[in-house]
Amino acid sequence: MSKKKKLIIKIVFSVLAVFLLAFAACDSSSGGASITAPPPPPSEGGWPPLDGGGGSVPPGSGGSSLPAITISAHPASVTVHVGSVTDLGVAATVTGGGTLSFEWFSNTSAVNTGGTATGGTGAVFTIPNTLTAGRHFFYVVVSATGTAPDVASNVATVTVQGSGTVAGDGSPTTFDSPFDVAVDSFGNVFVADSQNHRIRRIESDTGLITTVAGSGAAGFADGIGALAQFNAPAGIALDNTGNFLIVADMDNHRIRRIEIATGNVQTIAGSGTLGDSDGLATAAQFAFPYGVAVDGGGNIFVADWANHRIRRIESGTWNVATVAGSGLLGFADGVGALAQFNAPAGIALDNTGNFLIVADAANQRIRRIEIATWDVQTIAGSGTAGFIDGPALTAQFNWPYGVAIDNSNNVFVADTFNNRIRRIENGTWVVTTLAGNWTWGSLEGFGAAAQFFNPYGIAVDSSSNVFVADTFNNRIRRITQ
C-alpha cells in the first residue's frame, strides 16, 4: 500500500476518532515546483571581467581591453527536481563580423575555467535529467571566427532537489506529505515533513534541503539531530527569539522544541498519552495537536485538533491551560469555554499580538480569538463546505487547514480540499482567491492557472511571499505577490 493511501486512511480514522471521542464525552456528560535560487556573484571564483566585455576571459585566450564578443545575458541559476529537464541559455554578440560558436562546460565548483565539456554547442543547453540531487555548476565559452578572443560566461548554479541525498547530509531530498512550513528572518524555510517524520530546512540562498532533526522512523525520542524521533509532525513555528522551532508532534500527542543551532530536541508539554487534561508540562494531555503559534513573550498556543480546544503553554514553566473551546465538537462563538470548535487546525498570531487566527477546519470557518478576553468570533466562512469568494460570512471554504498573516494583518488560508490559497482582507474580512483552482495538479502559473493538491500548511515572509506546503504534491511552493 502506498504511503499516500496510508495517509488518507490515517486521516479517515483520525476523523472517526474525533467523533468517537465526542460521543464518549457526550455520553459521560463531561461534556516540480521550482524555487528560483539567487544567482551566484558575477564571475565567482573566475577571472575578472574585461573592460566593457560583460564576461570573463581565461588567460592565454588573446583577450584585449576591447573584446569583440559581448555577453548580454548570462545563464541563470535555477532549482529543479530530480528527473526534470530544463534549459540554460546565453545571449551574445560579436562586433566586426564573425560567426559565434558555443561550448558548454560543467564544473565541480563555481568557477568558469576548466571543467568538463558537456557536448553542448548551442546558445541553449538542455540540462540532462540524470543529474543527482545537490548543486551543479555550468558555464559556456563563446567563440567567434577570426581573431576575437573567447569569452566565458558567469557560472550558473543548478540546484537539484528530489530523490537522492544532499551532500554532507545524507537525508532524502524528497518530501512525504509535508504538513506545515515556517520562514525565518533570513528567508530560510522550515518544513514539518510529516510522513518522513523529520523537520527539514530549505536554505534561502541555495535551495538546498537538510534535516534539522528526526531519524526518519516514526517514534518518540528526545535528542540531537537524527537521534531524535517524531511521529507525523504537523504544525511548526519559530519562537519569539528566532532560535527555536516549536513543533506539534501530532501522533505523539506532544509539543516539542528544537534548538536550531544544534538540532537538540526536547519535549516541553504532553505526556504522550491521548487525552484532554491541563497541567504542568509533560503531565498535560493532548489529542492530535495540530497547529502551533508563539507570542512575543514566548508563550505557545496549540490548536488541539481532536479535543476541539485552543491551549496555551506558558513560557518557561510550560504549564498548559485551555483558553477557548468547550471540548465538544460544535460551532459557537463566545468567551473561553462557551465557544466551540470542530477540528481546529492551523493557528497564527496577528502582528499586534492581540489576536489569534484559527482555521476551524471541520466547521469550514476562520475564527479570531481576542487574547485579553479569550472571546472567539467568526471572521469568514458560512459553515458550509464549498467554494465562494466574497464578503466574510457568505464566503465558503472546504476544510481549511492552514492560516498565516502578513505585515498588514491580512489572513492567508490554505483551503485544503478546494486546492486553493485564499486571502482575507484585514478589517473587511472579504475573501478572495490568490492562487489555485478546483483541479488537482502541480502546474506553475499565475492565479487560477496554478494548481495544488491538498495544500495543508502556509506561511508568509516579511516581503509578503507566501510559502505553501503542497502536501499531496510533496512540494513546497512559493507565491510572489
PDB file of all heavy atoms in Angstrom, residues 288-328:
ATOM      1  N   PHE A 288      -3.941  14.626  19.285  1.00  0.00           N
ATOM      2  CA  PHE A 288      -3.535  15.009  17.930  1.00  0.00           C
ATOM      3  C   PHE A 288      -3.375  16.533  17.795  1.00  0.00           C
ATOM      4  O   PHE A 288      -4.070  17.161  17.003  1.00  0.00           O
ATOM      5  CB  PHE A 288      -4.524  14.483  16.882  1.00  0.00           C
ATOM      6  CG  PHE A 288      -4.690  12.997  16.905  1.00  0.00           C
ATOM      7  CD1 PHE A 288      -5.819  12.426  17.491  1.00  0.00           C
ATOM      8  CD2 PHE A 288      -3.740  12.161  16.341  1.00  0.00           C
ATOM      9  CE1 PHE A 288      -5.985  11.055  17.526  1.00  0.00           C
ATOM     10  CE2 PHE A 288      -3.897  10.780  16.373  1.00  0.00           C
ATOM     11  CZ  PHE A 288      -5.022  10.218  16.960  1.00  0.00           C
ATOM     12  N   PRO A 289      -2.454  17.134  18.575  1.00  0.00           N
ATOM     13  CA  PRO A 289      -2.233  18.574  18.432  1.00  0.00           C
ATOM     14  C   PRO A 289      -1.752  18.882  17.027  1.00  0.00           C
ATOM     15  O   PRO A 289      -0.857  18.210  16.506  1.00  0.00           O
ATOM     16  CB  PRO A 289      -1.156  18.868  19.484  1.00  0.00           C
ATOM     17  CG  PRO A 289      -0.420  17.565  19.639  1.00  0.00           C
ATOM     18  CD  PRO A 289      -1.479  16.510  19.476  1.00  0.00           C
ATOM     19  N   TYR A 290      -2.337  19.916  16.415  1.00  0.00           N
ATOM     20  CA  TYR A 290      -2.051  20.173  15.008  1.00  0.00           C
ATOM     21  C   TYR A 290      -1.258  21.457  14.779  1.00  0.00           C
ATOM     22  O   TYR A 290      -0.176  21.432  14.221  1.00  0.00           O
ATOM     23  CB  TYR A 290      -3.354  20.228  14.206  1.00  0.00           C
ATOM     24  CG  TYR A 290      -3.112  20.236  12.718  1.00  0.00           C
ATOM     25  CD1 TYR A 290      -3.190  19.065  11.986  1.00  0.00           C
ATOM     26  CD2 TYR A 290      -2.760  21.409  12.062  1.00  0.00           C
ATOM     27  CE1 TYR A 290      -2.922  19.058  10.618  1.00  0.00           C
ATOM     28  CE2 TYR A 290      -2.496  21.419  10.703  1.00  0.00           C
ATOM     29  CZ  TYR A 290      -2.578  20.248   9.986  1.00  0.00           C
ATOM     30  OH  TYR A 290      -2.306  20.252   8.649  1.00  0.00           O
ATOM     31  N   GLY A 291      -1.807  22.606  15.163  1.00  0.00           N
ATOM     32  CA  GLY A 291      -1.153  23.877  14.869  1.00  0.00           C
ATOM     33  C   GLY A 291      -0.510  24.485  16.091  1.00  0.00           C
ATOM     34  O   GLY A 291      -0.946  24.276  17.222  1.00  0.00           O
ATOM     35  N   VAL A 292       0.562  25.274  15.870  1.00  0.00           N
ATOM     36  CA  VAL A 292       1.222  25.985  16.960  1.00  0.00           C
ATOM     37  C   VAL A 292       1.543  27.414  16.519  1.00  0.00           C
ATOM     38  O   VAL A 292       1.791  27.682  15.344  1.00  0.00           O
ATOM     39  CB  VAL A 292       2.524  25.290  17.415  1.00  0.00           C
ATOM     40  CG1 VAL A 292       2.222  24.043  18.227  1.00  0.00           C
ATOM     41  CG2 VAL A 292       3.425  24.960  16.231  1.00  0.00           C
ATOM     42  N   ALA A 293       1.533  28.334  17.491  1.00  0.00           N
ATOM     43  CA  ALA A 293       1.930  29.723  17.278  1.00  0.00           C
ATOM     44  C   ALA A 293       2.587  30.217  18.555  1.00  0.00           C
ATOM     45  O   ALA A 293       2.306  29.703  19.646  1.00  0.00           O
ATOM     46  CB  ALA A 293       0.728  30.596  16.922  1.00  0.00           C
ATOM     47  N   VAL A 294       3.461  31.216  18.432  1.00  0.00           N
ATOM     48  CA  VAL A 294       4.221  31.707  19.578  1.00  0.00           C
ATOM     49  C   VAL A 294       4.079  33.220  19.658  1.00  0.00           C
ATOM     50  O   VAL A 294       4.223  33.923  18.651  1.00  0.00           O
ATOM     51  CB  VAL A 294       5.709  31.334  19.469  1.00  0.00           C
ATOM     52  CG1 VAL A 294       6.456  31.741  20.741  1.00  0.00           C
ATOM     53  CG2 VAL A 294       5.883  29.831  19.221  1.00  0.00           C
ATOM     54  N   ASP A 295       3.815  33.747  20.870  1.00  0.00           N
ATOM     55  CA  ASP A 295       3.686  35.191  21.021  1.00  0.00           C
ATOM     56  C   ASP A 295       5.022  35.823  21.394  1.00  0.00           C
ATOM     57  O   ASP A 295       6.054  35.140  21.522  1.00  0.00           O
ATOM     58  CB  ASP A 295       2.580  35.552  22.012  1.00  0.00           C
ATOM     59  CG  ASP A 295       2.911  35.220  23.464  1.00  0.00           C
ATOM     60  OD1 ASP A 295       4.081  34.915  23.782  1.00  0.00           O
ATOM     61  OD2 ASP A 295       1.988  35.281  24.311  1.00  0.00           O
ATOM     62  N   GLY A 296       5.022  37.147  21.576  1.00  0.00           N
ATOM     63  CA  GLY A 296       6.247  37.874  21.851  1.00  0.00           C
ATOM     64  C   GLY A 296       6.893  37.535  23.176  1.00  0.00           C
ATOM     65  O   GLY A 296       8.079  37.818  23.386  1.00  0.00           O
ATOM     66  N   GLY A 297       6.132  36.939  24.081  1.00  0.00           N
ATOM     67  CA  GLY A 297       6.670  36.523  25.372  1.00  0.00           C
ATOM     68  C   GLY A 297       7.121  35.084  25.404  1.00  0.00           C
ATOM     69  O   GLY A 297       7.537  34.579  26.456  1.00  0.00           O
ATOM     70  N   GLY A 298       7.012  34.409  24.245  1.00  0.00           N
ATOM     71  CA  GLY A 298       7.423  33.011  24.184  1.00  0.00           C
ATOM     72  C   GLY A 298       6.350  32.025  24.590  1.00  0.00           C
ATOM     73  O   GLY A 298       6.597  30.812  24.643  1.00  0.00           O
ATOM     74  N   ASN A 299       5.138  32.519  24.899  1.00  0.00           N
ATOM     75  CA  ASN A 299       4.032  31.617  25.208  1.00  0.00           C
ATOM     76  C   ASN A 299       3.568  30.928  23.923  1.00  0.00           C
ATOM     77  O   ASN A 299       3.546  31.544  22.847  1.00  0.00           O
ATOM     78  CB  ASN A 299       2.872  32.385  25.833  1.00  0.00           C
ATOM     79  CG  ASN A 299       3.295  33.117  27.083  1.00  0.00           C
ATOM     80  OD1 ASN A 299       3.744  32.511  28.050  1.00  0.00           O
ATOM     81  ND2 ASN A 299       3.177  34.445  27.059  1.00  0.00           N
ATOM     82  N   ILE A 300       3.192  29.675  24.030  1.00  0.00           N
ATOM     83  CA  ILE A 300       2.845  28.854  22.866  1.00  0.00           C
ATOM     84  C   ILE A 300       1.346  28.572  22.866  1.00  0.00           C
ATOM     85  O   ILE A 300       0.775  28.210  23.908  1.00  0.00           O
ATOM     86  CB  ILE A 300       3.623  27.523  22.891  1.00  0.00           C
ATOM     87  CG1 ILE A 300       5.138  27.798  22.869  1.00  0.00           C
ATOM     88  CG2 ILE A 300       3.228  26.635  21.704  1.00  0.00           C
ATOM     89  CD1 ILE A 300       5.964  26.594  23.256  1.00  0.00           C
ATOM     90  N   PHE A 301       0.734  28.750  21.702  1.00  0.00           N
ATOM     91  CA  PHE A 301      -0.682  28.430  21.546  1.00  0.00           C
ATOM     92  C   PHE A 301      -0.801  27.196  20.655  1.00  0.00           C
ATOM     93  O   PHE A 301      -0.114  27.080  19.642  1.00  0.00           O
ATOM     94  CB  PHE A 301      -1.430  29.612  20.945  1.00  0.00           C
ATOM     95  CG  PHE A 301      -1.411  30.822  21.836  1.00  0.00           C
ATOM     96  CD1 PHE A 301      -0.411  31.779  21.704  1.00  0.00           C
ATOM     97  CD2 PHE A 301      -2.369  30.986  22.824  1.00  0.00           C
ATOM     98  CE1 PHE A 301      -0.382  32.884  22.537  1.00  0.00           C
ATOM     99  CE2 PHE A 301      -2.342  32.097  23.664  1.00  0.00           C
ATOM    100  CZ  PHE A 301      -1.339  33.044  23.524  1.00  0.00           C
ATOM    101  N   VAL A 302      -1.682  26.283  21.051  1.00  0.00           N
ATOM    102  CA  VAL A 302      -1.819  24.998  20.369  1.00  0.00           C
ATOM    103  C   VAL A 302      -3.266  24.795  19.931  1.00  0.00           C
ATOM    104  O   VAL A 302      -4.192  24.949  20.744  1.00  0.00           O
ATOM    105  CB  VAL A 302      -1.400  23.825  21.289  1.00  0.00           C
ATOM    106  CG1 VAL A 302      -1.531  22.488  20.555  1.00  0.00           C
ATOM    107  CG2 VAL A 302       0.011  24.021  21.819  1.00  0.00           C
ATOM    108  N   ALA A 303      -3.449  24.464  18.666  1.00  0.00           N
ATOM    109  CA  ALA A 303      -4.755  24.026  18.188  1.00  0.00           C
ATOM    110  C   ALA A 303      -4.832  22.521  18.437  1.00  0.00           C
ATOM    111  O   ALA A 303      -4.206  21.729  17.720  1.00  0.00           O
ATOM    112  CB  ALA A 303      -4.924  24.350  16.712  1.00  0.00           C
ATOM    113  N   ASP A 304      -5.555  22.147  19.484  1.00  0.00           N
ATOM    114  CA  ASP A 304      -5.644  20.744  19.916  1.00  0.00           C
ATOM    115  C   ASP A 304      -6.778  20.091  19.134  1.00  0.00           C
ATOM    116  O   ASP A 304      -7.942  20.101  19.547  1.00  0.00           O
ATOM    117  CB  ASP A 304      -5.881  20.711  21.425  1.00  0.00           C
ATOM    118  CG  ASP A 304      -5.613  19.344  22.027  1.00  0.00           C
ATOM    119  OD1 ASP A 304      -5.234  18.423  21.280  1.00  0.00           O
ATOM    120  OD2 ASP A 304      -5.784  19.211  23.256  1.00  0.00           O
ATOM    121  N   TRP A 305      -6.425  19.500  18.010  1.00  0.00           N
ATOM    122  CA  TRP A 305      -7.334  19.112  16.937  1.00  0.00           C
ATOM    123  C   TRP A 305      -8.507  18.255  17.401  1.00  0.00           C
ATOM    124  O   TRP A 305      -9.670  18.602  17.191  1.00  0.00           O
ATOM    125  CB  TRP A 305      -6.521  18.387  15.864  1.00  0.00           C
ATOM    126  CG  TRP A 305      -7.211  18.157  14.561  1.00  0.00           C
ATOM    127  CD1 TRP A 305      -7.439  19.072  13.584  1.00  0.00           C
ATOM    128  CD2 TRP A 305      -7.716  16.911  14.081  1.00  0.00           C
ATOM    129  NE1 TRP A 305      -8.071  18.481  12.506  1.00  0.00           N
ATOM    130  CE2 TRP A 305      -8.253  17.151  12.790  1.00  0.00           C
ATOM    131  CE3 TRP A 305      -7.781  15.620  14.600  1.00  0.00           C
ATOM    132  CZ2 TRP A 305      -8.831  16.146  12.026  1.00  0.00           C
ATOM    133  CZ3 TRP A 305      -8.352  14.618  13.847  1.00  0.00           C
ATOM    134  CH2 TRP A 305      -8.878  14.887  12.575  1.00  0.00           C
ATOM    135  N   ALA A 306      -8.223  17.120  18.022  1.00  0.00           N
ATOM    136  CA  ALA A 306      -9.300  16.188  18.376  1.00  0.00           C
ATOM    137  C   ALA A 306      -9.946  16.504  19.717  1.00  0.00           C
ATOM    138  O   ALA A 306     -10.971  15.908  20.070  1.00  0.00           O
ATOM    139  CB  ALA A 306      -8.778  14.749  18.386  1.00  0.00           C
ATOM    140  N   ASN A 307      -9.359  17.441  20.463  1.00  0.00           N
ATOM    141  CA  ASN A 307     -10.013  17.918  21.689  1.00  0.00           C
ATOM    142  C   ASN A 307     -10.869  19.151  21.432  1.00  0.00           C
ATOM    143  O   ASN A 307     -11.559  19.618  22.351  1.00  0.00           O
ATOM    144  CB  ASN A 307      -8.978  18.237  22.771  1.00  0.00           C
ATOM    145  CG  ASN A 307      -8.523  17.000  23.524  1.00  0.00           C
ATOM    146  OD1 ASN A 307      -9.295  16.066  23.729  1.00  0.00           O
ATOM    147  ND2 ASN A 307      -7.254  16.985  23.927  1.00  0.00           N
ATOM    148  N   HIS A 308     -10.780  19.707  20.222  1.00  0.00           N
ATOM    149  CA  HIS A 308     -11.597  20.866  19.828  1.00  0.00           C
ATOM    150  C   HIS A 308     -11.390  22.057  20.771  1.00  0.00           C
ATOM    151  O   HIS A 308     -12.307  22.791  21.095  1.00  0.00           O
ATOM    152  CB  HIS A 308     -13.086  20.495  19.781  1.00  0.00           C
ATOM    153  CG  HIS A 308     -13.333  19.193  19.100  1.00  0.00           C
ATOM    154  ND1 HIS A 308     -13.127  19.010  17.757  1.00  0.00           N
ATOM    155  CD2 HIS A 308     -13.725  17.974  19.589  1.00  0.00           C
ATOM    156  CE1 HIS A 308     -13.401  17.755  17.439  1.00  0.00           C
ATOM    157  NE2 HIS A 308     -13.759  17.115  18.534  1.00  0.00           N
ATOM    158  N   ARG A 309     -10.131  22.216  21.176  1.00  0.00           N
ATOM    159  CA  ARG A 309      -9.784  23.297  22.081  1.00  0.00           C
ATOM    160  C   ARG A 309      -8.555  24.055  21.586  1.00  0.00           C
ATOM    161  O   ARG A 309      -7.752  23.533  20.813  1.00  0.00           O
ATOM    162  CB  ARG A 309      -9.462  22.758  23.487  1.00  0.00           C
ATOM    163  CG  ARG A 309     -10.574  22.014  24.212  1.00  0.00           C
ATOM    164  CD  ARG A 309     -10.068  21.646  25.615  1.00  0.00           C
ATOM    165  NE  ARG A 309     -10.873  20.655  26.304  1.00  0.00           N
ATOM    166  CZ  ARG A 309     -11.886  20.927  27.119  1.00  0.00           C
ATOM    167  NH1 ARG A 309     -12.244  22.182  27.323  1.00  0.00           N
ATOM    168  NH2 ARG A 309     -12.534  19.966  27.732  1.00  0.00           N
ATOM    169  N   ILE A 310      -8.392  25.289  22.108  1.00  0.00           N
ATOM    170  CA  ILE A 310      -7.165  26.049  21.945  1.00  0.00           C
ATOM    171  C   ILE A 310      -6.487  26.083  23.310  1.00  0.00           C
ATOM    172  O   ILE A 310      -7.091  26.497  24.306  1.00  0.00           O
ATOM    173  CB  ILE A 310      -7.435  27.482  21.437  1.00  0.00           C
ATOM    174  CG1 ILE A 310      -8.271  27.438  20.153  1.00  0.00           C
ATOM    175  CG2 ILE A 310      -6.116  28.222  21.231  1.00  0.00           C
ATOM    176  CD1 ILE A 310      -7.649  26.654  19.006  1.00  0.00           C
ATOM    177  N   ARG A 311      -5.230  25.644  23.344  1.00  0.00           N
ATOM    178  CA  ARG A 311      -4.495  25.551  24.616  1.00  0.00           C
ATOM    179  C   ARG A 311      -3.344  26.570  24.616  1.00  0.00           C
ATOM    180  O   ARG A 311      -2.852  26.974  23.559  1.00  0.00           O
ATOM    181  CB  ARG A 311      -3.917  24.151  24.822  1.00  0.00           C
ATOM    182  CG  ARG A 311      -4.811  22.988  24.379  1.00  0.00           C
ATOM    183  CD  ARG A 311      -5.901  22.687  25.367  1.00  0.00           C
ATOM    184  NE  ARG A 311      -5.419  22.089  26.590  1.00  0.00           N
ATOM    185  CZ  ARG A 311      -5.164  20.769  26.735  1.00  0.00           C
ATOM    186  NH1 ARG A 311      -5.330  19.936  25.715  1.00  0.00           N
ATOM    187  NH2 ARG A 311      -4.756  20.289  27.894  1.00  0.00           N
ATOM    188  N   ARG A 312      -2.933  26.953  25.784  1.00  0.00           N
ATOM    189  CA  ARG A 312      -1.810  27.881  25.956  1.00  0.00           C
ATOM    190  C   ARG A 312      -0.767  27.231  26.855  1.00  0.00           C
ATOM    191  O   ARG A 312      -1.095  26.707  27.928  1.00  0.00           O
ATOM    192  CB  ARG A 312      -2.287  29.197  26.581  1.00  0.00           C
ATOM    193  CG  ARG A 312      -1.194  30.233  26.832  1.00  0.00           C
ATOM    194  CD  ARG A 312      -1.807  31.458  27.513  1.00  0.00           C
ATOM    195  NE  ARG A 312      -0.835  32.520  27.772  1.00  0.00           N
ATOM    196  CZ  ARG A 312      -0.101  32.626  28.880  1.00  0.00           C
ATOM    197  NH1 ARG A 312      -0.215  31.704  29.832  1.00  0.00           N
ATOM    198  NH2 ARG A 312       0.743  33.637  29.036  1.00  0.00           N
ATOM    199  N   ILE A 313       0.503  27.273  26.395  1.00  0.00           N
ATOM    200  CA  ILE A 313       1.622  26.751  27.183  1.00  0.00           C
ATOM    201  C   ILE A 313       2.450  27.942  27.640  1.00  0.00           C
ATOM    202  O   ILE A 313       3.018  28.671  26.827  1.00  0.00           O
ATOM    203  CB  ILE A 313       2.487  25.792  26.364  1.00  0.00           C
ATOM    204  CG1 ILE A 313       1.627  24.669  25.758  1.00  0.00           C
ATOM    205  CG2 ILE A 313       3.602  25.205  27.222  1.00  0.00           C
ATOM    206  CD1 ILE A 313       2.384  23.757  24.811  1.00  0.00           C
ATOM    207  N   GLU A 314       2.530  28.147  28.937  1.00  0.00           N
ATOM    208  CA  GLU A 314       3.234  29.301  29.483  1.00  0.00           C
ATOM    209  C   GLU A 314       4.733  29.157  29.296  1.00  0.00           C
ATOM    210  O   GLU A 314       5.314  28.096  29.599  1.00  0.00           O
ATOM    211  CB  GLU A 314       2.909  29.464  30.974  1.00  0.00           C
ATOM    212  CG  GLU A 314       3.513  30.702  31.603  1.00  0.00           C
ATOM    213  CD  GLU A 314       3.145  30.835  33.062  1.00  0.00           C
ATOM    214  OE1 GLU A 314       3.156  29.812  33.769  1.00  0.00           O
ATOM    215  OE2 GLU A 314       2.842  31.965  33.502  1.00  0.00           O
ATOM    216  N   SER A 315       5.357  30.209  28.799  1.00  0.00           N
ATOM    217  CA  SER A 315       6.796  30.192  28.551  1.00  0.00           C
ATOM    218  C   SER A 315       7.564  29.915  29.840  1.00  0.00           C
ATOM    219  O   SER A 315       7.284  30.496  30.887  1.00  0.00           O
ATOM    220  CB  SER A 315       7.240  31.538  27.972  1.00  0.00           C
ATOM    221  OG  SER A 315       8.635  31.561  27.772  1.00  0.00           O
ATOM    222  N   GLY A 316       8.530  29.020  29.760  1.00  0.00           N
ATOM    223  CA  GLY A 316       9.402  28.736  30.904  1.00  0.00           C
ATOM    224  C   GLY A 316       8.874  27.672  31.827  1.00  0.00           C
ATOM    225  O   GLY A 316       9.550  26.673  32.078  1.00  0.00           O
ATOM    226  N   THR A 317       7.635  27.838  32.326  1.00  0.00           N
ATOM    227  CA  THR A 317       7.061  26.815  33.209  1.00  0.00           C
ATOM    228  C   THR A 317       6.468  25.675  32.410  1.00  0.00           C
ATOM    229  O   THR A 317       6.328  24.571  32.905  1.00  0.00           O
ATOM    230  CB  THR A 317       5.952  27.407  34.092  1.00  0.00           C
ATOM    231  OG1 THR A 317       4.823  27.760  33.265  1.00  0.00           O
ATOM    232  CG2 THR A 317       6.442  28.641  34.827  1.00  0.00           C
ATOM    233  N   TRP A 318       6.045  25.974  31.152  1.00  0.00           N
ATOM    234  CA  TRP A 318       5.387  25.024  30.246  1.00  0.00           C
ATOM    235  C   TRP A 318       4.079  24.492  30.823  1.00  0.00           C
ATOM    236  O   TRP A 318       3.641  23.388  30.490  1.00  0.00           O
ATOM    237  CB  TRP A 318       6.318  23.865  29.867  1.00  0.00           C
ATOM    238  CG  TRP A 318       7.679  24.304  29.420  1.00  0.00           C
ATOM    239  CD1 TRP A 318       8.865  23.837  29.872  1.00  0.00           C
ATOM    240  CD2 TRP A 318       8.004  25.291  28.417  1.00  0.00           C
ATOM    241  NE1 TRP A 318       9.921  24.467  29.240  1.00  0.00           N
ATOM    242  CE2 TRP A 318       9.422  25.367  28.340  1.00  0.00           C
ATOM    243  CE3 TRP A 318       7.247  26.128  27.595  1.00  0.00           C
ATOM    244  CZ2 TRP A 318      10.085  26.226  27.476  1.00  0.00           C
ATOM    245  CZ3 TRP A 318       7.908  26.992  26.739  1.00  0.00           C
ATOM    246  CH2 TRP A 318       9.305  27.032  26.681  1.00  0.00           C
ATOM    247  N   ASN A 319       3.460  25.304  31.676  1.00  0.00           N
ATOM    248  CA  ASN A 319       2.148  24.927  32.203  1.00  0.00           C
ATOM    249  C   ASN A 319       1.087  25.067  31.109  1.00  0.00           C
ATOM    250  O   ASN A 319       1.020  26.078  30.416  1.00  0.00           O
ATOM    251  CB  ASN A 319       1.773  25.812  33.394  1.00  0.00           C
ATOM    252  CG  ASN A 319       0.501  25.356  34.066  1.00  0.00           C
ATOM    253  OD1 ASN A 319       0.439  24.250  34.586  1.00  0.00           O
ATOM    254  ND2 ASN A 319      -0.517  26.193  34.052  1.00  0.00           N
ATOM    255  N   VAL A 320       0.252  24.053  30.963  1.00  0.00           N
ATOM    256  CA  VAL A 320      -0.748  24.005  29.901  1.00  0.00           C
ATOM    257  C   VAL A 320      -2.123  24.348  30.465  1.00  0.00           C
ATOM    258  O   VAL A 320      -2.556  23.782  31.472  1.00  0.00           O
ATOM    259  CB  VAL A 320      -0.804  22.611  29.252  1.00  0.00           C
ATOM    260  CG1 VAL A 320      -1.870  22.561  28.152  1.00  0.00           C
ATOM    261  CG2 VAL A 320       0.562  22.227  28.688  1.00  0.00           C
ATOM    262  N   ALA A 321      -2.802  25.308  29.784  1.00  0.00           N
ATOM    263  CA  ALA A 321      -4.159  25.688  30.189  1.00  0.00           C
ATOM    264  C   ALA A 321      -5.011  25.858  28.937  1.00  0.00           C
ATOM    265  O   ALA A 321      -4.526  26.312  27.904  1.00  0.00           O
ATOM    266  CB  ALA A 321      -4.142  26.972  30.993  1.00  0.00           C
ATOM    267  N   THR A 322      -6.278  25.496  29.054  1.00  0.00           N
ATOM    268  CA  THR A 322      -7.217  25.696  27.949  1.00  0.00           C
ATOM    269  C   THR A 322      -7.729  27.122  27.979  1.00  0.00           C
ATOM    270  O   THR A 322      -8.161  27.618  29.022  1.00  0.00           O
ATOM    271  CB  THR A 322      -8.397  24.718  28.059  1.00  0.00           C
ATOM    272  OG1 THR A 322      -7.902  23.381  27.960  1.00  0.00           O
ATOM    273  CG2 THR A 322      -9.409  24.961  26.946  1.00  0.00           C
ATOM    274  N   VAL A 323      -7.684  27.807  26.820  1.00  0.00           N
ATOM    275  CA  VAL A 323      -8.135  29.199  26.781  1.00  0.00           C
ATOM    276  C   VAL A 323      -9.425  29.376  25.995  1.00  0.00           C
ATOM    277  O   VAL A 323     -10.128  30.371  26.169  1.00  0.00           O
ATOM    278  CB  VAL A 323      -7.038  30.121  26.205  1.00  0.00           C
ATOM    279  CG1 VAL A 323      -5.815  30.100  27.105  1.00  0.00           C
ATOM    280  CG2 VAL A 323      -6.670  29.736  24.782  1.00  0.00           C
ATOM    281  N   ALA A 324      -9.767  28.433  25.128  1.00  0.00           N
ATOM    282  CA  ALA A 324     -11.014  28.555  24.368  1.00  0.00           C
ATOM    283  C   ALA A 324     -11.449  27.173  23.881  1.00  0.00           C
ATOM    284  O   ALA A 324     -10.619  26.327  23.539  1.00  0.00           O
ATOM    285  CB  ALA A 324     -10.854  29.500  23.181  1.00  0.00           C
ATOM    286  N   GLY A 325     -12.748  26.961  23.865  1.00  0.00           N
ATOM    287  CA  GLY A 325     -13.302  25.696  23.402  1.00  0.00           C
ATOM    288  C   GLY A 325     -13.852  24.875  24.537  1.00  0.00           C
ATOM    289  O   GLY A 325     -13.210  24.732  25.586  1.00  0.00           O
ATOM    290  N   SER A 326     -15.044  24.330  24.313  1.00  0.00           N
ATOM    291  CA  SER A 326     -15.712  23.547  25.355  1.00  0.00           C
ATOM    292  C   SER A 326     -15.186  22.126  25.457  1.00  0.00           C
ATOM    293  O   SER A 326     -15.389  21.453  26.462  1.00  0.00           O
ATOM    294  CB  SER A 326     -17.216  23.493  25.065  1.00  0.00           C
ATOM    295  OG  SER A 326     -17.456  22.711  23.890  1.00  0.00           O
ATOM    296  N   GLY A 327     -14.521  21.668  24.399  1.00  0.00           N
ATOM    297  CA  GLY A 327     -14.078  20.275  24.366  1.00  0.00           C
ATOM    298  C   GLY A 327     -15.037  19.386  23.608  1.00  0.00           C
ATOM    299  O   GLY A 327     -14.710  18.243  23.291  1.00  0.00           O
ATOM    300  N   LEU A 328     -16.225  19.910  23.298  1.00  0.00           N
ATOM    301  CA  LEU A 328     -17.190  19.185  22.476  1.00  0.00           C
ATOM    302  C   LEU A 328     -17.149  19.747  21.068  1.00  0.00           C
ATOM    303  O   LEU A 328     -17.122  20.968  20.876  1.00  0.00           O
ATOM    304  CB  LEU A 328     -18.602  19.345  23.036  1.00  0.00           C
ATOM    305  CG  LEU A 328     -18.860  18.758  24.424  1.00  0.00           C
ATOM    306  CD1 LEU A 328     -20.279  19.087  24.874  1.00  0.00           C
ATOM    307  CD2 LEU A 328     -18.628  17.262  24.421  1.00  0.00           C
TER     308      LEU A 328
END
